[in-house]
């Protein structure tokens, strides 16, 4: 049975391009991490990756002003503001979120690398230990 109340949104070409860039960058970041971990300075690599991740996450949150403008409607803003100021405030939040989308690619690529590392170091050995004698 069809549900006529739901709208199907089309995914924009820029979103698809961003997804492809995310997949490629995650693979490159993970591969670089794996290669660098084989060298004597491997202790530093993880800390450098963590620092890069922390800088990008903090920059993303600060640039987007703590997401304080996300989901804000005209009714939520002070009554003494003009309509132009309210519209500018809302549009600035949308513009900032859109302009900072590229930072999410970096953040998610590094998070993927850390997730794979955690799985490999902790989860897989534990699960495999359950099935070995």
């Amino acid at each position: 049975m069809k549900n006529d109340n739901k709208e199907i949104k089309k995914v924009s070409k820029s979103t698809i391009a961003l997804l492809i860039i995310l997949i490629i960058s995650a693979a490159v970041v993970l591969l670089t991490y794996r290669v660098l971990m084989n060298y004597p300075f491997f202790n530093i690599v993880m800390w450098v990756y963590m620092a890069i991740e922390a800088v990008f996450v903090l920059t993303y949150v600060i640039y987007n002003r703590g997401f304080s403008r996300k989901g804000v409607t005209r009714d939520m803003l002070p009554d003494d503001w003009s309509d132009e100021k309210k519209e500018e405030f809302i549009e600035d939040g949308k513009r900032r979120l859109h302009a900072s989308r590229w930072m999410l690619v970096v953040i998610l690529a590094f998070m993927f690398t850390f997730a794979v590392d955690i799985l490999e170091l902790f989860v897989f050995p534990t699960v495999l230990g359950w099935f070995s004698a």
Side-chain angles (χ1 to χ4, degrees), residues 25-87:
S25 64
V28 168
V29 170
L30 179 62
L31 181 63
T32 305
Y33 181 75
R34 291 303 172 111
V35 168
L36 292 175
M37 289 299 279
N38 291 325
Y39 288 98
F41 53 86
F42 72 92
N43 292 348
I44 299 170
V45 174
M46 183 184 70
W47 294 104
V48 169
Y49 266 53
M50 284 183 176
I52 292 169
E53 178 74 4
V55 166
F56 270 93
V57 168
L58 287 173
T59 303
Y60 183 75
V61 171
I62 291 169
Y63 178 76
N64 285 301
R65 300 182 181 194
F67 307 105
S68 62
R69 297 178 181 204
K70 186 173 181 167
V72 174
T73 62
R74 288 173 170 259
D75 300 335
M76 297 173 171
L77 298 174
D79 293 333
D80 59 335
W81 283 12
S82 67
D83 287 338
E84 293 82 24
K85 186 172 182 179
K86 289 180 181 182
E87 188 63 33

Side-chain angles (χ1 to χ4, degrees), residues 8 24 30 35 62-63 79 84 89 110 112 114 126-127:
I8 298 175
I24 292 169
L30 179 62
V35 168
I62 291 169
Y63 178 76
D79 293 333
E84 293 82 24
F89 185 88
F110 278 86
F112 176 75
F114 289 130
T126 303
V127 172

Side-chain angles (χ1 to χ4, degrees), residues 3-10:
N3 188 353
D4 295 330
N5 295 334
K6 291 186 179 181
E7 293 181 26
I8 298 175
K9 288 186 175 182
K10 293 202 176 216

Side-chain angles (χ1 to χ4, degrees), residues 81-99:
W81 283 12
S82 67
D83 287 338
E84 293 82 24
K85 186 172 182 179
K86 289 180 181 182
E87 188 63 33
E88 179 186 329
F89 185 88
I90 293 169
E91 289 304 316
D92 182 55
K94 290 178 183 177
R95 182 189 56 77
R96 286 175 178 274
L97 279 173
H98 185 72

Side-chain angles (χ1 to χ4, degrees), residues 26 29-30 33-34 46 49-50 53 106-125:
V29 170
L30 179 62
Y33 181 75
R34 291 303 172 111
M46 183 184 70
Y49 266 53
M50 284 183 176
E53 178 74 4
V106 177
I107 291 168
L108 292 174
F110 278 86
M111 280 185 164
F112 176 75
T113 300
F114 289 130
V116 168
D117 207 27
I118 288 169
L119 287 171
E120 192 174 65
L121 289 173
F122 301 109
V123 177
F124 293 155

